Amino acid sequence: MQNRKALEKDYGLILDLWERSVIATHHFLAVDDRLKLKEEIPSYFPHLDVRLWYIEDRFIGFSGVHESHLEMLFLDPDLTGKGYGKQIIRSLIDDYGVTSVDVNKDNENAIWFYLKSGFTVVGEKPTDGEGRPYPILNLKLKSQ
């Protein structure tokens, strides 16, 4: 698996994958909120280390890290369950120093994924970062 730093010209590619992934996994998210988030997300990219992840030459997902916090990790929804997310999170932990992540409380598959990857729940907030009614779980990497 390879990755590279995202460039501004990649934003359309990233947003397309993000939207397909969210539609497939975030059934709790209202359509209007999804559309607003899609408009907001590019404004976060300049503040993150955004990486595009590839298997050979196929774009399979992207991640965004700020310091040691994983801000976003999305996979092509056609490729979930194949071990790619596990490889990416291991690289993010081992190579990029990720030690924390926040996840939607209603995204049970993501919670399971992060718990299985060595994270533990350390807190909860009733809303997302923009005050929308989506509870967020705060997770930290267990001591290795």
Side-chain angles (χ1 to χ4, degrees):
M1 178 170 308
Q2 308 83 251
N3 74 79
R4 70 169 175 84
K5 191 162 181 61
L7 305 171
E8 190 170 343
K9 69 178 185 169
D10 298 316
Y11 290 3
L13 180 72
I14 293 168
L15 287 173
D16 176 61
L17 186 139
W18 175 86
E19 187 165 44
R20 289 187 297 112
S21 180
V22 167
I23 288 169
T25 61
H26 290 59
H27 305 288
F28 54 88
L29 188 62
V31 173
D32 285 348
D33 288 332
R34 177 175 46 84
L35 295 173
K36 287 176 192 166
L37 281 164
K38 187 176 179 182
E39 289 179 15
E40 291 171 14
I41 287 176
S43 69
Y44 303 139
F45 293 157
H47 308 287
L48 304 174
D49 179 8
V50 179
R51 300 253 154 212
L52 306 182
W53 295 86
Y54 292 88
I55 295 292
E56 296 176 10
D57 61 350
R58 182 173 180 184
F59 173 55
I60 64 162
F62 72 94
S63 61
V65 174
H66 180 258
E67 296 174 356
S68 62
H69 187 75
L70 178 60
E71 297 284 348
M72 52 184 74
L73 173 58
F74 289 90
L75 287 179
D76 183 323
D78 296 333
L79 298 175
T80 57
K82 299 185 184 309
Y84 298 133
K86 184 177 180 179
Q87 291 177 56
I88 292 170
I89 196 68
R90 278 283 27 117
S91 179
L92 290 168
I93 292 166
D94 295 342
D95 304 329
Y96 297 94
V98 165
T99 60
S100 64
V101 63
D102 295 334
V103 63
N104 289 99
K105 186 175 181 180
D106 295 321
N107 191 342
E108 294 175 4
N109 288 335
I111 295 167
W112 175 84
F113 168 77
Y114 289 115
L115 293 177
K116 191 173 178 186
S117 299
F119 290 82
T120 187
V121 177
V122 295
E124 182 176 342
K125 295 178 184 155
T127 60
D128 70 9
E130 300 299 322
R132 290 178 282 251
Y134 301 107
I136 300 294
L137 295 178
N138 311 114
L139 289 81
K140 293 248 183 234
L141 191 63
K142 293 180 204 172
S143 298
Q144 301 288 325

